[in-house]
Amino acid sequence: MMAALVSSDSLVTRALAADNAAMARLMSRAEAGTPECRPALAKLYAKAGRAHVIGITGVPGSGKSTLVSTLTLKLRASGKRVGIIAVDPSSPYSGGSIMGDRIRMSELVSDEGVFIRSMATRGAHGGMARASLEAVDVLDAAGFDYVIIETVGVGQAEVEIARAAHTVVVVSAPGLGDDIQAIKAGILEIADVHVVSKCDRSDANRTISDLKSMLTMGLALGGSKSWHTPVVPTSSANGEGFEQLIDCLDRHGQLMLTTDAGKERVRRIAEFRMLKTAEELLHQRFLDSRQGALAAVSAQLSDRLISPYQAAERLLNGINLQGKS
C-alpha cells in the first residue's frame, strides 16, 4: 500500500526551520510545477526577503563553480549560512538537470550551513526557470544569509540573472581565446562586480587591464552614480582576492537596502517574478485549452494550406485566458 503524500503545506514549518528534506521536497514540487505546492510557496515567499541574492555568471571555463565553492568557504568561515542554486542545462527528454550537483562543490556537502541544489533551465529563455526563483525563496525564508545562483554560462542567454539577483558577478578568465570573454557573450553590461579568476596566471594582468579600461570608457552600463563597478582579481588556488570580493558584495548589498536605486531594483525583481510566472501559467493554459486543436491545425500547416501566422491565430482564437489560479 502506498504511503499518503505529505502535503506541501505541512512542509512549511520544517522548511522555515531549515530542514533539508522539507526544503528539497518543496523545491522538487516547484520544479515539477505541482499546483498543490503553490499555497506553501506563497507562505514561504511572504517570509522571504532577507537574504542577499547573488548571481554568478560567465562563459564556460571561466571558473564559476570553483569560485562559488571558494567564496562559500570564506563566507562560512565568518559564520554565514549559504544556499547555492546551480542552474544546469536541461535534458531534452526528461526536462531535468543533466549535470547534477557540482563535483567541485563536493567539499561543501557535509556542511550543515550550506545547501546546494542543481536545477534545470527547462528551456527557459534567458536561463532562469521560475522554479529556480522559488528555490531561492525557500532558502531565503529558511534564514540563509546569502543565496548564490550560478548560471549555466552559455553567453547571451545569461542576461536574465540581472533581473533576478540583487548583485550580479560576471566571471572572466585569462586564456579562453578572447581577452574579454564577456564582450563576446554580451554580458559585460550586467555586472555589478567583475571578477577575473585564476589571477595567479601570468596572462591575467591583460584581462584585468582591459576590463578596467572598458569600465573607464563607460562601455559597461552596469554602474551608476552610487556604484562604480569594480574589477576584482581572484585565485581559488591561493585564496587571493576573496576578502575584497566579499567586501564588494556586502557594500553593493547595502546599497540595495539604503538607496532609491536599490529599492527600485528590488521592485523590478518582483515585477520580473510576476511576468515570469504569468508567462508560464499562460503557456500551460494555452496548451490545456487548445490541446485538441493542435493536431488539426498543425496538419493544415504541414500541408501548407495555411501560413504559420494563420495557424497561430487559429490556436489563439477562443483560448481561455481566465483559467484557474
Side-chain angles (χ1 to χ4, degrees), residues 106-122:
S106 59
E107 60 188 309
L108 303 173
V109 171
S110 60
D111 188 336
E112 294 182 356
V114 178
F115 185 97
I116 304 172
R117 175 77 179 210
S118 285
M119 303 192 77
T121 60
R122 293 185 175 266

Side-chain angles (χ1 to χ4, degrees), residues 142-172:
F144 285 81
D145 300 290
Y146 296 87
V147 179
I148 297 173
I149 306 172
E150 183 197 342
T151 70
V152 175
V154 292
Q156 285 90 339
E158 298 302 280
V159 295
E160 257 193 8
I161 189 62
R163 303 175 65 189
H166 301 136
T167 304
V168 176
V169 177
V170 173
V171 185
S172 301

Side-chain angles (χ1 to χ4, degrees), residues 76-113:
R76 288 294 296 137
S78 61
K80 302 297 184 181
R81 296 170 64 205
V82 183
I84 300 170
I85 304 298
V87 181
D88 289 327
S90 301
S91 163
Y93 302 104
S94 68
S97 166
I98 63 173
M99 294 178 72
D101 289 345
R102 306 301 176 93
I103 295 173
R104 293 185 183 91
M105 298 182 193
S106 59
E107 60 188 309
L108 303 173
V109 171
S110 60
D111 188 336
E112 294 182 356

Side-chain angles (χ1 to χ4, degrees), residues 67 171 195-200 208 232-242 245:
L67 180 116
V171 185
V195 165
V196 178
S197 64
K198 310 174 187 179
C199 72
D200 50 312
I208 296 167
V232 182
T234 67
S235 169
S236 294
N238 58 31
E240 181 180 348
F242 280 90
L245 174 58

Side-chain angles (χ1 to χ4, degrees), residues 165-188:
H166 301 136
T167 304
V168 176
V169 177
V170 173
V171 185
S172 301
L176 293 184
D178 290 289
D179 294 326
I180 303 296
Q181 301 87 31
I183 300 171
K184 182 177 180 181
I187 56 175
L188 180 69

Side-chain angles (χ1 to χ4, degrees), residues 257-307:
L257 299 174
T258 58
T259 67
D260 290 339
K263 294 173 184 177
E264 173 61 17
R265 180 162 176 170
V266 171
R267 187 201 65 77
R268 289 199 305 270
I269 290 172
E271 182 180 272
F272 169 70
R273 293 285 305 275
M274 175 180 66
L275 294 174
K276 191 79 171 176
T277 304
E279 180 183 274
E280 183 167 318
L281 287 175
L282 180 60
H283 181 257
Q284 188 58 51
R285 288 175 187 173
F286 172 78
L287 292 178
D288 292 344
S289 175
R290 307 304 293 167
Q291 191 64 46
L294 284 174
V297 176
S298 61
Q300 289 181 307
L301 179 62
S302 177
D303 292 338
R304 300 187 183 276
L305 299 175
I306 55 176
S307 72

